[in-house]
Amino acid sequence: AGGVAGVCVDLILFPLDTVKTRLQSPQGFRKAGGFRGIYAGVPSTAIGSFPNAAAFFITYENVKTVMHHGSTSYLTPATHMVAASIGEVVACLIRVPSEVVKQRAQVSPSSSTLRILSHTLYHEGIQGLYRGYKSTVLREIPFSLVQFPLWESLKDLWSWKQGHVVDSWQSAVCGAFAGGFAAAVTTPLDVAKTRIMLAKAGSSNASGNVLSALGGIWRTQGLSGLFAGVVPRMAAIGLGGFIFLGTYEKTRQLLL
């Protein structure tokens, strides 16, 4: 169910993600490709989406089940936070290499995904594919700490209001609100992650220091730089939350 949801959301929203990446890139939107080659890097996403989302939900649901035993109701949001955080750490082992290749293809639309992958492996080795792992985890954990407890709480509130468990479309609406809000507050971390992944080997950002990357963006571009791409990010993740969490619930209902 998680794998199907991941593929659906990533492929449907890929153009918005490309626009966001190019807005955040150091060379600027136009030099990074503008609106040309909007599907550059899509093979990397197509291959990585299913195992990445599947790994997240397998971990999330299992940790949630283990922690729910004996926990009181007021600790439920903390359970969701811990489960989502551990899920993200595991999923990022698959997501980061896919994301590195995808983002480099998005800002170099003339290069193929395979060429970018081989170039990265030749010049930087496997660690080049994991450039930005730390910054991705540092972005995803705060995002999940906001999104998943909010999603679960909104579902519980809606279920209580109507007297029965929410339908998959209602879960999708809750996912859209939770995703959009979480996207807005974590945009600076997303910008730092993009700069680290796109940095030339040997540059200061290539070291993967998130605080250093954030400081550099603040000094050169100020608040607007830290929130570069916030609108397409909110739009993509809000819509993504609707598709991702709605598809997950619907597919799960069909399978169980």
Side-chain angles (χ1 to χ4, degrees), residues 7-252:
V7 170
C8 286
V9 73
D10 284 346
L11 295 185
I12 291 168
L13 299 178
F14 195 85
L16 265 177
D17 185 70
T18 302
V19 170
K20 181 218 66 163
T21 298
R22 290 174 181 176
L23 283 167
Q24 292 177 348
S25 68
Q27 69 259 51
F29 181 69
R30 285 192 180 178
K31 286 185 179 177
F35 289 104
R36 291 179 293 106
I38 213 81
Y39 279 94
V42 78
S44 173
T45 294
I47 293 165
S49 284
F50 192 98
N52 156 42
F56 172 79
F57 275 111
I58 287 168
T59 310
Y60 178 68
E61 295 293 353
N62 276 298
V63 173
K64 211 166 71 167
T65 304
V66 169
M67 290 188 69
H68 265 217
H69 294 307
S71 66
T72 51
S73 58
Y74 68 88
L75 286 175
T76 300
T79 299
H80 296 149
M81 286 179 175
V82 172
S85 299
I86 296 171
E88 290 295 356
V89 171
V90 173
C92 281
L93 293 170
I94 300 164
R95 184 182 308 152
V96 170
S98 169
E99 185 96 344
V100 168
V101 174
K102 178 200 75 175
Q103 290 204 318
R104 290 179 182 186
Q106 284 174 329
V107 297
S108 307
S110 57
S111 297
S112 71
T113 300
L114 192 60
R115 187 184 298 171
I116 286 169
L117 174 62
S118 58
H119 182 272
T120 303
L121 283 171
Y122 181 76
H123 289 281
E124 300 177 62
I126 291 290
Q127 69 187 52
L129 289 177
Y130 279 92
R131 164 100 68 81
Y133 177 81
K134 192 165 59 179
S135 60
T136 305
V137 169
L138 286 173
R139 178 199 66 176
E140 294 297 353
I141 287 179
F143 181 85
S144 293
L145 290 177
V146 177
Q147 185 191 31
F148 280 88
L150 186 55
W151 175 54
E152 300 273 13
S153 299
L154 289 171
K155 284 197 301 175
D156 288 345
L157 181 62
W158 204 336
S159 298
W160 175 72
K161 284 273 188 186
Q162 65 186 9
H164 62 82
V165 176
V166 290
D167 298 322
S168 52
W169 73 267
Q170 292 171 322
S171 176
V173 171
C174 295
F177 275 105
F181 181 75
V185 299
T186 58
T187 295
L189 291 170
D190 186 55
V191 177
K193 182 220 61 147
T194 299
R195 295 293 177 90
I196 287 166
M197 284 185 171
L198 298 179
K200 288 185 170 63
S203 64
S204 59
N205 277 344
S207 65
N209 188 315
V210 179
L211 288 176
S212 171
L214 286 169
I217 296 161
W218 172 256
R219 284 191 300 275
T220 55
Q221 293 172 282
L223 197 62
S224 62
L226 289 174
F227 283 89
V230 66
V231 174
R233 176 168 160 80
M234 280 182 70
I237 293 178
L239 187 53
F242 183 90
I243 298 166
F244 184 58
L245 297 171
T247 304
Y248 172 68
E249 291 279 1
K250 188 66 180 173
T251 310
R252 199 162 163 234

